[in-house]
Amino acid sequence: MLVNARQRRGRVSRRGRERHISVPLLVAIAVAVPVALMAALTAQAVVTRSTCSNHPLMVNVAVSDDIAPAIKRVGRVFNQQHHKADGRCAEVRITAAEPAEVASQVDGQASGSGPPAVDAWIPDSSLWVQVARAFPLGAQAIQPTGLDVAKSPLMIVMPGTAAAQVPAFNNSVGWNFLLPAAVGGPAATLGLRVDLPDPTQSAAGLAALVEINRLLGNSAGARAQFAKFAFSAQSSAQFDDPTSLAAFASLANPPLNSHPVTVTTEQAVMAYDSAHPGQPLAARYPSGGSAALDTPELDYPYVLTSTDPAEQAAGREFQATLEQGYTSSVVRYYGFRSGNGVTGTLPANDGLAQQPLQAATPTVPGEAETDLQAWEKLQIGSRDVVLIDVSAAMAAPSGLPNLTLEQEFTDTANLGLELFPDSAQIGDWEFADHLSGRLPYKVLVPVGPLPGEVGLISRRQQLQEINGSVRPMPNAPAAINKTILAAYQMMLASYNPSFSNAVIVMTAGVDKAPDDLSAAALISKLSRLQNPNRRVELIILQLGTAGDFTALQQIATAGGGAAYEISDPTQVGKVFFEAIARRICQGGCASP
């Protein structure tokens, strides 16, 4: 009994379709080898048919979309054999299902109703098993069998026409090829567009994320580099079949004429090349100079997920069929390697057979889920109020030729604003002393979406105009602490859990307003206001060296954030990503 579930809800929402792959005749020969075995199995089915009841013990097997056609073929043979388990006939119902969706169902993280209960599972990667087993329900339900049904190495891929214009791709390619130039990737002049399959949906994207994190390391600087990678990569659906890969290849054609790069499987590359003879993709097995940074493989593990003893017994009956040579031949027919790594005939015209392949070190428990959590935290949108110091102290020389601190602020703010995507929500206040009656601050632009209209122009345009027009107020001292407290309270009151909420202060750090709060009083109030369920970060950027940076560090720490000294506007990119990377450790990062 075969079902293709096309309407599901859960952690992902990718296309749920069955793929029919045309393969070369040489690969098809592999299926002919076990013909005698199939004949014997059919004969056995005829003998045992009469002993089976009309109410078989049904095992629901969720299978990754790409390998579902192969496993359905094996399932038909299994059902014809009329296996028995726990004294009853056992049958399997194969359902094509997205692995990330099944993981969220098995580990209890899915919202709402999902696909039917899963008794056994073949995801495209054991990474999903690790992710699901990180939750108590997943650890209880999932029972690994040790069987890998198939394998397919990952490849870094470009359209052939684009790769021809990027000589670096024609040599050995490592995972640094996906990084921006600022953190060790290819030169920006190459104009590469990295389309990373969304790691929350795609095992290929998740495996690539693991390799990138291994490459960068775990230091504070590495976290900032990882944040820069996360912001630079285009998060996309997976290009994992001839149709989607054709759409990917079209990105290199007019009018875009771009140089796209993605990560997909060897099986998907062969399927595309077979469907597009004469126009193969440029594909490379990544090599990083060490076992940890070589080529990951999707391994299609078979695991049991039912706690019912009878269903477990039936699931193990199906496991015995999956372990047979017939199954290995079928998966090779569909372009996969068998579970022990044996490949079918690699086509000679796409160059795969000539490339060296070294499998990467498998992930250790906790590695994939830690990297996935870091990615998810970095994908959260920003919701920030920016406090602009317009006190007299901002008219002081910055230390750079012909630049005051306020002019340095203009350069810094404009550079920083460019780094925020349209999904961000930003607002601006300015502050000095008694700027608006008794208040030391004035709301210039309320917090809201950057593309949203404020009057006749967008919020982003208005913020750019403000950044270029602010001027220091002669003889006006700064009331930094009262302003920080008011902004922090406002962000707490309007807290949005769908965003990372922060107060960003741009200041000379010279607080001389006679009626301002003391630093000690502000620290005490911020410490009491902090709420782990409504987390607002306080990020302070001190321009120049005249301020009391030690006090600002203590204030920022009390507000769950960090303080940074900026003496060069070009430092803003580095500081921005250091501040963003704090999300990875949820405020537990050491101060810079």
Side-chain angles (χ1 to χ4, degrees), residues 82-96:
H82 296 277
H83 287 261
K84 285 192 173 182
D86 196 40
R88 298 168 60 188
C89 283
E91 291 188 4
V92 293
R93 178 187 288 116
I94 310 298
T95 302

Side-chain angles (χ1 to χ4, degrees), residues 450-463 465:
L450 283 177
E453 290 187 359
V454 181
L456 300 177
I457 60 177
S458 72
R459 181 174 272 98
R460 184 187 291 276
Q461 291 172 313
Q462 185 157 15
L463 291 172
E465 290 186 1

Side-chain angles (χ1 to χ4, degrees), residues 357-417:
L357 169 63
Q358 182 66 43
T361 305
T363 57
V364 298
E367 186 176 10
E369 50 267 40
T370 298
D371 294 344
L372 184 60
Q373 289 170 6
W375 171 268
E376 290 175 329
K377 290 171 184 175
L378 292 172
Q379 298 302 302
I380 297 174
S382 296
R383 182 176 179 274
D384 307 318
V385 61
V386 180
L387 311 183
I388 307 168
D389 188 347
V390 292
S391 69
M394 292 292 285
S398 68
L400 297 175
N402 303 315
L403 277 182
T404 65
L405 290 179
E406 201 71 68
Q407 289 167 329
E408 181 184 340
F409 158 76
T410 297
D411 291 342
T412 300
N414 284 333
L415 285 169
L417 186 60

Side-chain angles (χ1 to χ4, degrees), residues 414-478:
N414 284 333
L415 285 169
L417 186 60
E418 290 175 2
L419 298 172
F420 284 95
D422 281 347
S423 59
Q425 296 192 4
I426 308 292
D428 264 3
W429 294 9
E430 63 179 3
F431 68 93
D433 185 33
H434 291 84
L435 193 61
S436 179
R438 299 184 62 181
L439 296 176
Y441 59 86
K442 180 188 295 183
V443 177
L444 301 178
V445 181
V447 176
L450 283 177
E453 290 187 359
V454 181
L456 300 177
I457 60 177
S458 72
R459 181 174 272 98
R460 184 187 291 276
Q461 291 172 313
Q462 185 157 15
L463 291 172
Q464 289 170 336
E465 290 186 1
I466 288 172
N467 291 342
S469 63
V470 292
R471 298 289 183 269
M473 299 181 62
N475 304 316

Side-chain angles (χ1 to χ4, degrees), residues 79 86 92 122 145 176 220 230 251 258 339 374 408-409 468 476 485 493 507 592:
N79 289 342
D86 196 40
V92 293
I122 304 177
T145 65
N176 64 315
L251 297 173
S258 64
E408 181 184 340
F409 158 76
L485 179 61
T507 180

Side-chain angles (χ1 to χ4, degrees), residues 28-286:
I29 294 174
V31 179
V33 175
V35 169
L37 173 62
M38 291 184 64
L41 295 176
T42 303
Q44 177 186 349
V46 172
V47 171
T48 60
R49 187 183 306 274
S50 60
T51 65
C52 287
S53 68
N54 293 325
H55 302 285
L57 180 61
M58 186 63 64
V59 178
N60 293 309
V61 186
V63 179
S64 178
D65 280 4
D66 52 353
I67 203 170
I71 303 305
K72 286 181 177 181
R73 185 167 184 166
V74 175
R76 283 193 291 267
V77 171
F78 177 86
N79 289 342
Q80 290 170 1
Q81 295 175 29
H82 296 277
H83 287 261
K84 285 192 173 182
D86 196 40
R88 298 168 60 188
C89 283
E91 291 188 4
V92 293
R93 178 187 288 116
I94 310 298
T95 302
E98 299 293 349
E101 181 182 346
V102 178
S104 68
Q105 177 186 347
V106 173
D107 63 26
Q109 301 304 302
S111 58
S113 59
V118 175
D119 305 317
W121 181 28
I122 304 177
D124 54 0
S125 174
S126 55
L127 294 177
W128 295 124
V129 176
Q130 294 175 19
V131 168
R133 284 175 63 84
F135 296 92
L137 286 178
Q140 179 182 4
I142 296 175
Q143 305 141 61
T145 65
L147 171 64
D148 290 338
V149 176
K151 289 188 177 177
S152 192
L154 293 183
M155 308 195 78
I156 297 177
V157 176
M158 292 187 73
T161 54
Q165 302 172 42
V166 183
F169 194 78
N170 298 320
N171 302 314
S172 177
V173 172
W175 291 104
N176 64 315
F177 200 79
L178 304 182
L179 295 175
V183 293
T189 54
L190 296 178
L192 297 181
R193 163 185 166 149
V194 177
D195 286 280
L196 182 74
D198 186 346
T200 66
Q201 303 181 32
S202 161
L206 180 53
L209 201 66
V210 169
E211 297 301 322
I212 292 294
N213 213 30
R214 287 177 172 181
L215 177 63
L216 295 176
N218 297 309
S219 66
R223 288 196 297 268
Q225 291 179 325
F226 186 76
K228 186 168 289 189
F229 161 72
F231 270 63
S232 66
Q234 305 263 353
S235 184
S236 71
Q238 180 167 262
F239 299 106
D240 57 353
D241 62 69
T243 301
S244 62
L245 278 170
F248 167 76
S250 70
L251 297 173
N253 301 332
L256 295 178
N257 295 313
S258 64
H259 294 160
V261 182
T262 193
V263 179
T264 191
T265 64
E266 176 189 80
Q267 185 265 346
V269 170
M270 288 199 301
Y272 173 88
D273 289 353
S274 177
H276 299 82
Q279 299 177 354
L281 291 167
R284 298 286 179 268
Y285 299 113

